[in-house]
Amino acid sequence: MFAWSYKTPYMNDDLYFANAKWGALFSLGVNDYLGSNGRIFGQTFTRFILSKGVCFSSLCTAALFIALLIILFYLSRSITKNVICSPRIIAITVMVFLFTPSFGSVFLWRAGVGNYLAMAVMELLFLLLIYHPISNQILSYILVIGLGFIAGWGNENTSGAIILICTLLLAKTYMQNHKVPLAPLLGTLSAISGFVFLLLSPGSQIRLKVSVSGYSQLSTFAKLRRGIAMFIDYFTSTFPLSLVFISMVVVVLVVSMMFWKQNSSFWDGLIFIIGGVASAMVMIISPSGTDAGRTYLGSFLLLLTGMMLLVPQNLEGQRGLKCLYLCTVSVMTIMCFFSVAKGIQESDVLNNQLRARYSYIMRSKSKEIRVEPVHYINNNYSLSTAYAELTSPRDSQAFPNNCYQVYFNRSVYLK
């Protein structure tokens, strides 16, 4: 992941956020919250990652990717105090590479790393502390309150799903033990408070008016029809991988109801799947992002965790199901190898064009530069899923022209 990120050039928002000063990270985040984007933590993480150049950002990306996988291993009980289950670890790793929506815009695009990967690590770490509390109560209270606030102030659909999962876990605990643990309750309340700050952001309202003009004038029915159409268009455009993953979740859910209802993690798996479905379905009523794969990262990770919780650690005595499970993991591993190998090759096509463009801009002595458009084929493992091209009109403040203006201190337009 470090090498892959290191070979990936900056793109659009990366240029705008590059070389941010550490001392100004918080104040710039507050300015975003008030004027352009309510995701203050995601924006701050992005600036931090990009503050010290390409090598530092690539190290951060690799560290966050490793952290995400390790948290998924513990959250799905693939690693416990007594057991390290290798097939489950392989299955989770392969599915992250194979099924992550818009992989490139989450793990390779540095603005996506800050806003989505870093936030996913914080959100899942918070759930891990809720799901597996630590023994030190004081430290547990401090961590769940702090991480809960960050998780609630994350991404609108994922943060809402995190709060839903916490609420359901608290309800399950109360029904089983007739009491509610204090640490998870404090964490849930902290997440709710962070979520309120996110929803009330003035910057988000300003961004909505600029990016989706006329949305507020639509009727409720028109908004719903628009959201459903965009939701369906997105999932049909990602066929067949999205269908394969959704089918796997449904199959595991049905099999678990038939054979594994006595599994100790059965209800937890259902709760995580409910959260994942809610995180995806709420995008139907979202004014923007419905057709952007990166907005479904949280939904995917929650569904993946729920699906793995439904599968028992030990399938001894169920030879047919165990054979099917191991065969499925083997086939996915082979598919993953070829998909990623091909994706890395295709990502170089876009990367090389961006590097050539930046080199041309830096060599040019003119203050106003016209460049050729970038040509690429959409690929899950490249920057294409988040790429926005320069505009032709001479408007240096239009996106992403303003990013080039800030980074190169020159006006750059398409020929």
Side-chain angles (χ1 to χ4, degrees), residues 69-363:
L69 289 180
I70 291 174
I71 294 170
L72 286 173
F73 297 156
Y74 279 96
L75 197 56
S76 64
R77 294 188 176 180
S78 301
I79 296 179
T80 64
K81 292 181 179 179
N82 303 318
V83 178
I84 296 177
C85 190
S86 299
R88 293 169 69 93
I89 290 174
I90 294 172
I92 290 171
T93 305
V94 165
M95 282 191 281
V96 166
F97 274 104
L98 199 56
F99 298 122
T100 295
S102 297
F103 185 97
S105 66
V106 173
F107 298 123
L108 301 176
W109 182 36
R110 289 165 174 84
V113 171
N115 275 284
Y116 294 95
L117 174 56
M119 289 309 305
V121 169
M122 295 297 168
E123 290 157 352
L124 292 182
L125 183 58
F126 168 65
L127 282 180
L128 181 61
L129 289 175
I130 294 290
Y131 193 48
H132 298 293
I134 59 177
S135 56
N136 188 318
Q137 287 190 343
I138 301 299
L139 181 59
S140 177
Y141 296 156
I142 294 172
L143 289 176
V144 296
I145 291 173
L147 286 172
F149 190 69
I150 296 174
W153 204 335
N155 303 306
E156 289 83 350
N157 61 323
T158 306
S159 294
I162 296 294
I163 293 171
L164 174 61
I165 289 173
C166 290
T167 304
L168 292 175
L169 287 174
L170 286 173
K172 187 202 79 168
T173 303
Y174 179 77
M175 292 176 65
Q176 291 177 342
N177 304 325
H178 302 291
K179 63 179 181 178
V180 176
L182 183 58
L185 178 61
L186 290 174
T188 304
L189 294 175
S190 181
I192 292 172
S193 64
F195 192 53
V196 170
F197 276 101
L198 175 64
L199 295 181
L200 298 179
S201 161
S204 295
Q205 300 303 318
I206 294 172
R207 184 183 184 187
L208 175 61
K209 292 178 181 177
V210 173
S211 60
V212 193
S213 59
Y215 181 80
S216 57
Q217 281 73 46
L218 295 176
S219 66
T220 303
F221 178 75
K223 291 177 180 177
L224 188 61
R225 183 177 60 185
R226 171 185 176 273
I228 293 174
M230 294 177 68
F231 188 80
I232 294 173
D233 285 345
Y234 169 73
F235 279 97
T236 52
S237 67
T238 58
F239 181 87
L241 285 181
S242 59
L243 179 62
V244 171
F245 178 72
I246 293 171
S247 299
M248 288 174 58
V249 174
V250 172
V251 168
V252 170
L253 184 59
V254 172
V255 172
S256 66
M257 288 182 172
M258 294 175 61
F259 300 103
W260 301 329
K261 289 189 71 172
Q262 303 307 315
N263 179 18
S264 59
S265 302
F266 176 78
W267 289 107
D268 296 330
L270 285 183
I271 289 173
F272 273 85
I273 287 177
I274 290 171
V277 172
S279 177
M281 296 303 295
V282 76
M283 293 305 298
I284 291 176
I285 59 173
S286 172
S288 62
T290 310
D291 56 350
R294 56 188 175 274
T295 59
Y296 297 97
L297 174 66
S299 176
F300 163 72
L301 294 175
L302 294 175
L303 287 172
L304 173 59
T305 302
M307 179 173 63
M308 295 307 297
L309 283 171
L310 289 177
V311 179
Q313 287 182 325
N314 188 356
L315 289 174
E316 299 299 333
Q318 302 178 47
R319 297 183 63 182
L321 290 174
K322 184 176 182 180
C323 179
L324 178 62
Y325 171 65
L326 294 176
C327 287
T328 302
V329 173
S330 300
V331 170
M332 285 195 305
T333 304
I334 295 171
M335 289 174 58
C336 176
F337 176 80
F338 286 106
S339 295
V340 173
K342 181 182 178 183
I344 290 174
Q345 289 181 326
E346 292 184 351
S347 68
D348 281 342
V349 175
L350 177 55
N351 292 349
N352 291 336
Q353 291 180 77
L354 287 178
R355 278 191 286 265
R357 172 184 284 185
Y358 299 158
S359 178
Y360 171 73
I361 294 171
M362 288 187 288
R363 290 197 313 269

